[in-house]
Amino acid sequence: MSDFSEELIRPTTEDEQGELCVRSGSGMCFPWLQKHIESIASGGKQEKDFAQTTSACLNFIQEALLKHQWQRAAEYMHSYLQVLEDTDSNKRQGAPEVSEASVETFNTFADRMKNIGITNYLKISLQHALYLLHHGLLEDANRILTQAETWRYGEKSSSQEVLVNLIQAYKGLLQYYSWYKKKMELSKLDKDDYAYNTASQNMLNHSWKTSINLCTLIQIPGVWDPFVKSYIEMLEFYGDQDGAREVLNNYAYDEKFPSNPNAHVYLYNFLKREKAPREKLISVLKILYQIVPSHKLMLEFHRLLRKSDKEEHHKLGLEVLFGILDFAGCTKNITAWKYLAKYLKQTLMGSHLAWVQEEWNSRKSWWPSFHFSYFWAKSNWKDDKTLACEKALGRPRLAPELLCPSPFSQRPGCSRGWLDSGEVVSECYIGSPMGKLRSDAKNNFPGI
């Protein structure tokens, strides 16, 4: 951060409070602006300070806009206009004051910003349109985007081209919204009705315009989730499965694009709708698992692996369950615990103790306290007895040489017991929470 920038954000001292300062209509004081305004006419270093002042003020305006701090943005804009137009302190009180962020006020504010920061015209227009979209003013937003997409400043640069494509894509989203409403209307009409043919033709016209605006953007490396989803829905509606598949494959696997979990989710859902082979679905979710091991689709991934004929997939299925339960947000996922208890039993009966050992070795130092502490046993039993029972069923299937001593094994009334399969468990008497969980689990789930 430069010395000048540090000066902008540092607290005002008592001496400075007594100095002349630039004030807005509502009284916000900028002592640092007064100092630089007074030095503008001198030339040399003062001219550089003037450029720094105006640049910093524009940055503060943009930051306030992004944070929807309209009052603060208006104050900075007022000060900025004073620097540019007049340094006479007698005219400062006549500057506009924005006390309330109405749509009309914001429109005026955005238009003035476009004229001041002409090189940022496209960015400001996009922010303006998004604000209008947020307030449900779709026609006004479309008008702003239409004006912006034809605007150019100087020679066409690559940065301008990307912004124009983004503006056109947002315009495409508005067109998609109109297309979607027509699609809903079409679904209510009889196919033999004349109105159906008319509505269908109107939809086709909208889809053509929308596809042009969306297609250009999603070919540029980036994260374009809402645009991709809209485009794919339209391609599928008109039966272009090959085109949809190509777009999704590029979005998920093209190395030029940033890593994006949603890209693999969209591809998986598309392949699932197409009833693709299990191997293909597994290959897509395997990549998603590497990116987000706790994703909600991981339980579905486990089920696919469990149904596979390959042993490596069965081993991965166990890894996936442990991976899900590694995350704090999944500790109360009853389905995951149910799957783990069942799959541990199946794995051990299949003579794959080594798989369990491999997963447990990296977790034995923290899983007991993370999942199976005395506190969690009491808490789970109080809040959700089904969850408590599922956890109680899963824990004893971990062998003693892998499992850290149970917190209950050190408490009075605990002893060690053996299951029929030969695995050692920490078994508590009925008097302790875990003992009660084990007893109830056996009663509710016979045959364990």
Side-chain angles (χ1 to χ4, degrees):
M1 183 182 291
S2 65
D3 293 337
F4 182 78
S5 299
E6 291 175 355
E7 182 181 2
L8 299 185
I9 62 174
R10 68 178 174 81
T12 306
T13 63
E14 292 183 0
D15 293 336
E16 289 174 332
Q17 289 177 354
E19 296 178 0
L20 290 174
C21 62
V22 176
R23 288 186 180 272
S24 69
S26 60
M28 182 179 285
C29 181
F30 302 107
W32 48 271
L33 267 181
Q34 178 63 32
K35 182 176 65 175
H36 291 284
I37 290 172
E38 291 172 349
S39 66
I40 290 173
S42 304
K45 181 177 182 297
Q46 286 75 13
E47 290 181 355
K48 181 180 179 181
D49 289 342
F50 170 73
Q52 287 179 322
T53 301
T54 55
S55 176
C57 207
L58 277 176
N59 289 337
F60 281 6
I61 291 171
Q62 185 178 29
E63 179 184 0
L65 278 174
L66 290 173
K67 295 180 178 179
H68 293 188
Q69 298 173 347
W70 311 121
Q71 174 68 23
R72 181 166 170 260
E75 300 291 355
Y76 281 127
M77 181 176 171
H78 163 64
S79 299
Y80 178 82
L81 292 174
Q82 286 182 189
V83 174
L84 293 180
E85 297 173 3
D86 202 330
T87 60
D88 187 352
S89 60
N90 293 328
K91 296 182 180 180
R92 289 173 194 154
Q93 298 300 323
E97 175 181 354
V98 180
S99 59
E100 212 169 322
S102 65
V103 174
E104 183 179 353
T105 299
F106 185 86
N107 287 340
T108 303
F109 182 73
D111 289 338
R112 295 188 69 176
M113 286 296 296
K114 293 172 192 175
N115 294 327
I116 294 171
I118 194 167
T119 57
N120 291 320
Y121 181 91
L122 293 177
K123 292 181 179 179
I124 297 170
S125 295
L126 183 57
Q127 293 170 357
H128 189 186
L130 292 175
Y131 173 84
L132 294 172
L133 284 174
H134 179 70
H135 285 79
L137 303 172
L138 304 187
E139 292 184 2
D140 290 342
N142 187 66
R143 175 179 52 80
I144 296 297
L145 293 173
T146 301
Q147 293 173 353
E149 71 175 333
T150 59
W151 185 89
R152 297 292 185 277
Y153 176 74
E155 295 183 4
K156 189 176 181 180
S157 64
S158 58
S159 60
Q160 279 188 27
E161 186 174 358
V162 172
L163 280 172
V164 170
N165 289 335
L166 187 59
I167 285 170
Q168 290 173 339
Y170 271 104
K171 187 177 178 182
L173 275 186
L174 287 176
Q175 293 166 344
Y176 160 79
Y177 179 71
S178 298
W179 174 86
Y180 184 80
K181 288 197 300 183
K182 293 181 181 299
K183 175 186 172 184
M184 292 296 100
E185 294 172 2
L186 191 66
S187 64
K188 299 175 182 178
L189 297 176
D190 187 346
K191 290 186 178 181
D192 297 329
D193 193 342
Y194 174 77
Y196 182 90
N197 294 328
T198 303
S200 179
Q201 185 60 42
N202 288 337
M203 279 186 62
L204 187 60
N205 293 336
H206 273 86
S207 66
W208 179 76
K209 296 176 183 178
T210 305
S211 62
I212 293 176
N213 287 327
L214 296 179
C215 186
T216 303
L217 180 72
I218 62 179
Q219 293 176 2
I220 302 172
V223 179
W224 312 119
D225 291 351
F227 308 102
V228 170
K229 287 183 66 178
S230 303
Y231 189 46
I232 293 301
E233 182 179 350
M234 297 176 68
L235 290 176
E236 284 191 86
F237 182 82
Y238 291 110
D240 189 0
Q241 305 299 320
D242 293 338
R245 188 183 303 104
E246 182 181 358
V247 169
L248 290 172
N249 275 316
N250 290 339
Y251 194 50
Y253 298 132
D254 193 329
E255 294 181 353
K256 296 178 183 178
F257 283 76
S259 177
N260 179 9
N262 287 337
H264 302 280
V265 173
Y266 300 155
L267 178 58
Y268 171 76
N269 288 332
F270 171 78
L271 293 173
K272 189 177 177 182
R273 289 192 296 271
E274 278 202 315
K275 302 187 183 304
R278 185 188 301 135
E279 288 291 327
K280 183 62 177 176
L281 298 176
I282 287 176
S283 67
V284 175
L285 289 183
K286 187 174 182 179
I287 298 176
L288 179 61
Y289 168 67
Q290 294 169 353
I291 303 174
V292 189
S294 60
H295 196 279
K296 62 182 180 181
L297 282 176
M298 289 304 101
L299 289 175
E300 194 167 329
F301 184 35
H302 167 77
R303 291 195 295 269
L304 289 171
L305 293 169
R306 197 171 61 200
K307 295 175 182 177
S308 173
D309 297 328
K310 295 183 179 180
E311 189 171 277
E312 62 182 274
H313 286 165
H314 297 165
K315 182 175 183 296
L316 180 59
L318 182 65
E319 177 186 326
V320 168
L321 289 177
F322 274 100
I324 294 172
L325 294 170
D326 280 344
F327 290 84
C330 301
T331 56
K332 295 184 178 181
N333 190 317
I334 297 177
T335 304
W337 283 110
K338 182 178 181 179
Y339 283 0
L340 180 63
K342 181 178 179 180
Y343 206 61
L344 279 173
K345 181 178 181 179
Q346 180 180 329
T347 302
L348 293 172
M349 290 178 65
S351 301
H352 293 299
L353 177 62
W355 296 359
V356 182
Q357 291 175 339
E358 183 179 341
E359 296 303 323
W360 185 253
N361 283 338
S362 61
R363 297 173 172 86
K364 60 185 179 183
S365 62
W366 60 278
W367 254 47
S369 58
F370 187 62
H371 288 303
F372 303 116
S373 67
Y374 184 77
F375 168 80
W376 283 120
K378 291 176 63 179
S379 177
N380 292 155
W381 183 253
K382 179 181 178 181
D383 298 336
D384 191 337
K385 291 181 174 59
T386 303
L387 171 64
C389 287
E390 295 295 351
K391 292 178 71 173
L393 289 175
R395 178 189 167 108
R397 304 203 181 283
L398 297 171
E401 63 270 18
L402 308 174
L403 185 62
C404 292
S406 165
F408 302 108
S409 63
Q410 307 301 321
R411 298 173 60 81
C414 289
S415 63
R416 293 213 178 254
W418 292 80
L419 290 183
D420 293 340
S421 61
E423 49 198 299
V424 180
V425 299
S426 296
E427 186 70 85
C428 298
Y429 292 121
I430 299 299
S432 69
M434 187 60 76
K436 181 171 179 56
L437 294 186
R438 290 283 297 148
S439 175
D440 287 352
K442 287 181 177 180
N443 292 334
N444 294 329
F445 303 91
I448 62 170

